[in-house]
Every structure is written in C-alpha cells, then in structure tokens.
C-alpha cells in the first residue's frame, strides 16, 4: 500500500504510522499515513514562517488561480473523493459527495474573494490628513480539524487562510487523514510555493500539542471538542495569539402545535440522524408543544422505521455507521444514562449487524425527557435524540435557550409571529425556520455563541475577520 506522507517545506516526508479503518467494514484498511513527531511540527512551522514574507505579498491573481484550480480538481474528482470520505468517515456516499462538492465550492468562493480584497479610504478628523484602512494577513496559521467533516472543514479553514495571504501548518484528525492528504496534494500540484502549506498528520497529543506550544503561530483555528478547545484557548492566551474555536452543540429543534407535521418530521429526522448525528449542528433536543406532541412522536417513529442503517457505500443506506468504537461506546453509554434518568426509549437503542462488520447503531429516540437530564445537556455526537414536551411557545423558547451551547437553533411553525420572535430571541449563532438545524451554505457566516464557539465567524466574507489583521494608516497630504 502507498504511504501517504506529510508535506513539510514542499517535500513529502515521513514513514507510515497510522492506518485509517473503514467504519462500515472494519476489515478494510483505507490507507497508510505518516505520523509526524514534534521535530516534524517544528520543521513545518519553520517552513511556514520562512514562506510567509513572499506569500503574504503574493499577487491576488496567483492566489486566485491556485484556489480556483484546487476547487476545479476537487469537483472533477467528486465521486472518487466522496467515496474516500465515505470509506474513512462512514457518512453515506450521497452525503460524502455532497460534502466534497461543498469543499470545491468553498475553494471557488475564496478564489473569488482573493480578487475582491479591499480596504477603505476615509478623511481624517484633522485637516489635510488621509486615512487608509487595509487588511493584512495574520502570519502562520495552525489549522486543527475534526473527523466528522473530513473535507469541508479543512476546506473552509485552508481556503480563506491562503486567500488572505497566510501560510499554514495543518493537522487533520488522525481518524480521517485521507481527504486532508488529498486536498494538500491538490494544492501542492496547483502551484503553491514551498512551505506555504504544510501537512502534519498524527495524534493530537503529539502534533496538536507541539502546535499549541509554538510561539511562532500567529493564530490557531480549531474545530473539535470542548475540552481540546479550552486547551487551544489557554495556550493561545499564553502565547498572545489569535484563536478561533468551533466546538460542541446541543441544538434545539422546536416543534409548535401549528407546524406542518411533514416539514417538522423531515427537519427533525435530518437534524438528529443524518450523518449519523455526528454534526455539531445536529439537533438532539426536540422540544415539542403538547398539542402536536403525540402526533409528532408517532410520525417521527414511523419515519425512523424507514431509515436503513447500513454500509455507507451501499445504495439505499440512509444512516452510515458510527465513526469508531470509542464514539460508539459514548453513544451506547448515553443511551444507558437516558434509560436510568427515566426517559422512555421510543425507538432504537440497539446495535445492529450487517453484511460487513461495522459500528452500526439504530437511530435512537427518547421521549418523556426533561431538559435537566444529562442526555439533554451534554453533547452525545451520535444518532440519539430526545423529545422534551412543553406547554407552549414561551416555554419552548426558554427550554431551547437553557443550554450551555448556542450553535444552531431550529423551529417548525407556520406562524410568522412565532418564527419572527424565535429568530430574534434564540440564543444561537444560526437559526433555522422549518429547516434542519444542520446543513449550511458555504458563502455565509458559520458559528455560534456561548460554549459552542469563540472568535470571529467562519466562512463567507466574514472569514476575513479571523484570517487578517486590520491596519490603519495616516498620511499627511
Ligand atoms: C453543517 O451542518 O452543514 O463540525 C456543517 C460540525 C460543523 C459543521 C456543520 N462544524 O458539525
């Protein structure tokens, strides 16, 4: 099997360290990947630092051309990269191809943004003085990405970092190095100068830690767990660098008596169970008013019966496997916790076996849950959701907001009044009306509040806020 190496200072280097395993068929090794050590990370950071002066002054046409080429190649290879993604992560092939297309669109978007870099020219409050406000690249950016969106999240951090003239040290999740390696290979061949983009695959405890300990990085953008996010924050304060965190969610989906039942059930099933519930935007709290409660639970349960849990690559699969044994244990532990807390298991909860050995778990629905239970407060990150019964809209809104997280918040209603009030009063970075809490556009800001996120938003033109620093220049006329 070919060894996929790290990219440091424009050279492929390193010996095999990790295999990634197909969660739909644990007999299958997807690929072999080099593991970086602390010295490799130091070399990658030094290379990115050395490449920064030239790249930060590179022409916008060069950046545009490289990003555009990368987007075109990702799009042209969407079937192949989508299949790789489905094999290493376990989301279904259509979901994986969709994510690959999204990654291509993100590169296209930032190829365009490179041509739209602009500033402002203002008069000074003092006579005969002009003021110019410009954005400059930040420096060397550390990028740390999670396993659940193996191609889209690397794309939405790498593309803006390059677009605005930064250099990169990139550590993908060690469970899913395949798509990240492919993106880096594509960018390398698209003509990025040596050292602008460095790939260091491996364990968080080695590679991630060496990045956090580096005084050279000017910024770290991180998506992952709350625990690791805190460590990124603490180390960044220590080193006086900018940081951007995208962490957990416990996203509510409110269903009101006046909801269109079909719309509500589709949105809830998608939010809670698609991508195996492994999205920080997934909804695991279905907050339902009493008039529609029983009808909603019955219809959602019927819907769940129609969803096939199976091999991600098989056509007709709606829900792929859980990503690995560790996550599966977390999911089944929470199912047990839910039972012990007194929630009623309305559907699922069992492991299932299929033709190929994998981490297959039925979509699991609890009813009669309260918002104080651990299954309602802690992020599970699996295909597990709970229905919380409430009296009316006011209680629904209060319960929706009663959470340490604040990423995405959904409502199913036909009432303009309630939809409008909810959009204004949901304590979340994103609000969805009659839509799933997950599944976002690539050209508008992404991010949350409270324990979900920290720092400027990702994606769209708002990405410039993290990846640039503002300069104000005064000139005497
Ligand atoms: C989406 O819902 O389309 O890790 C994207 C996550 C998020 C991405 C969600 N950062 O799940």
């Amino acid at each position: 099997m070919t060894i996929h190496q790290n990219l440091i200072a424009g050279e492929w280097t390193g010996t095999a360290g990790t295999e990634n395993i197909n969660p739909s068929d644990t007999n299958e090794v997807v690929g072999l990947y080099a593991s970086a050590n602390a010295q490799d990370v130091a070399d990658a950071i030094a290379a990115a630092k050395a490449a920064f002066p030239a790249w930060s002054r590179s022409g916008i046409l060069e950046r545009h051309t490289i990003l555009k080429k990368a987007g075109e190649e990702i799009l042209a290879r969407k079937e192949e990269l989508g299949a790789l993604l489905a094999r290493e992560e376990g989301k279904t092939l259509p979901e994986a191809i969709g994510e690959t297309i999204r990654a291509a669109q993100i590169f296209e978007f930032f190829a365009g943004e490179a041509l739209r870099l602009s500033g402002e020219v203002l008069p000074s409050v003092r006579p005969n003085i002009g003021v110019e406000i410009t954005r400059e690249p930040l420096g060397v950016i550390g990028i740390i990405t999670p396993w659940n969106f193996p191609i889209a999240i690397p794309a939405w951090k790498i593309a803006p970092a390059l677009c605005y003239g930064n250099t990169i040290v990139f550590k993908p999740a060690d469970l899913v190095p395949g798509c990240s390696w492919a993106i880096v290979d594509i960018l390398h061949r698209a003509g990025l100068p040596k050292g602008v983009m460095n790939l260091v695959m491996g364990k968080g405890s080695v590679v991630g830690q060496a990045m956090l300990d580096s005084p050279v990085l000017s910024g770290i953008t991180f998506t992952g767990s709350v625990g690791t996010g805190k460590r990124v924050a603490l180390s960044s304060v220590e080193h006086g660098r900018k940081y951007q965190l995208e962490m957990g969610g416990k996203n509510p989906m409110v269903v009101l008596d006046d909801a269109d039942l079909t719309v509500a059930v589709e949105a809830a099933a998608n939010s809670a169970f698609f991508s195996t519930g492994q999205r920080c935007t997934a909804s695991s709290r279905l907050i339902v008013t009493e008039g529609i409660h029983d009808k909603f639970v019955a219809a959602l349960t019927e819907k769940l019966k129609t969803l096939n849990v199976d091999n991600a690559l098989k056509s007709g699969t709606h829900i792929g496997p859980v990503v690995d044994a560790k996550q599966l244990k977390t999911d089944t532990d929470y199912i047990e916790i839910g039972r012990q807390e007194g929630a009623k298991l309305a559907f699922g909860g069992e492991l299932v076996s299929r033709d190929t050995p994998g981490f297959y778990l039925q979509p699991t629905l609890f009813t009669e849950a309260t918002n104080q239970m651990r299954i309602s407060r802690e992020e599970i990150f699996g295909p597990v959701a709970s229905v919380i019964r409430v009296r009316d809209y006011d209680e629904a809104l209060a319960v929706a907001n009663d959470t340490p997280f604040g990423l995405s918040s959904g409502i199913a209603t036909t009432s303009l009044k309630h939809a409008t009030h909810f959009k204004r009063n949901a304590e979340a970075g994103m609000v969805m009306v009659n839509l799933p809490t997950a599944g976002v556009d690539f050209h508008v800001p992404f991010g949350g509040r409270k324990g979900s996120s920290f720092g400027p938003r990702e994606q769209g033109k708002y990405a410039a806020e993290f990846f640039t620093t503002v300069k104000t220049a005064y000139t005497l006329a």
Side-chain angles (χ1 to χ4, degrees), residues 214-359:
S214 167
V216 176
L217 300 182
S218 302
I220 295 190
T221 174
F222 166 83
T223 300
S225 70
V226 174
T228 308
K230 275 196 181 140
R231 287 169 45 206
V232 173
L234 289 172
S235 72
S236 297
V237 170
E238 185 76 26
H239 291 294
R241 70 175 161 239
K242 209 166 169 182
Y243 61 101
Q244 177 181 52
L245 308 177
E246 200 52 65
M247 303 174 288
K250 197 69 198 172
N251 308 299
M253 171 90 218
V254 168
V255 180
L256 297 185
D257 285 357
D258 62 29
D260 176 321
L261 190 61
T262 310
V263 167
V265 167
E266 286 301 316
N270 177 321
S271 303
F273 303 113
F274 288 9
S275 298
T276 321
Q278 298 175 152
R279 296 186 280 192
C280 58
T281 44
S283 174
S284 48
R285 295 188 297 140
L286 309 174
I287 301 165
V288 187
T289 50
E290 41 194 26
I292 197 170
H293 178 278
D294 293 356
K295 267 183 285 177
F296 173 78
V297 168
L300 181 57
T301 309
E302 280 311 306
K303 169 86 187 170
L304 295 186
K305 288 182 190 159
T306 69
L307 299 180
N308 302 325
V309 178
D310 208 330
N311 192 312
L313 290 146
K314 205 162 151 179
S315 81
T317 296
H318 300 104
I319 300 177
V322 172
V323 74
D324 70 350
K326 185 164 164 249
Q327 183 61 49
L328 185 63
K329 172 143 183 12
T330 303
D331 298 349
T332 52
D333 283 354
Y334 271 109
I335 293 171
E336 190 47 40
I337 289 167
R339 281 193 172 113
Q340 282 173 14
E341 287 181 308
K344 185 178 150 220
L345 189 65
F347 188 86
E350 301 295 329
L351 301 183
V352 287
S353 53
R354 294 293 179 251
D355 293 347
T356 46
F359 306 112

Side-chain angles (χ1 to χ4, degrees), residues 102 146 148-149 153 156 223 246 278-281 438-440 446:
R102 191 199 298 199
N148 66 331
F149 280 84
I153 294 180
W156 85 47
T223 300
E246 200 52 65
Q278 298 175 152
R279 296 186 280 192
C280 58
T281 44
V440 298
F446 177 93

